[in-house]
Amino acid sequence: MSFENPTDLRLGLKGRISGRDYRIAGRIVLGTEEAGETYYWNEFHLVTDSGEEATLVYEVGEEG
């Protein structure tokens, strides 16, 4: 397993989602084990200038 970021998203990057401007404030790699297999995904913590928060999840699916 690699903790490398598999996306072009980086801390501090700004963007608009659903009409709101967000900044990437954090990233975490999480994992779980199911039926003997371990699955990993990345979660990006997003914040607005007014303090609203959101989570953006990146996960590789069965088709890549």
Side-chain angles (χ1 to χ4, degrees):
M1 189 209 122
S2 171
F3 291 105
E4 294 289 323
N5 186 344
T7 74
D8 290 333
L9 301 175
R10 299 290 179 249
L11 294 181
L13 185 69
K14 295 180 179 182
R16 180 172 284 243
I17 300 174
S18 298
R20 289 190 173 89
D21 293 321
Y22 288 96
R23 174 181 54 83
I24 299 176
R27 173 182 159 260
I28 187 168
V29 178
L30 298 168
T32 188
E33 188 174 314
E34 292 182 22
E37 288 194 57
T38 305
Y39 300 92
Y40 297 98
W41 65 94
N42 287 261
E43 292 188 2
F44 295 88
H45 179 70
L46 311 177
V47 294
T48 66
D49 288 340
S50 63
E52 292 177 77
E53 299 179 355
T55 301
L56 181 64
V57 178
Y58 173 83
E59 177 178 10
V60 176
E62 292 177 6
E63 299 175 11

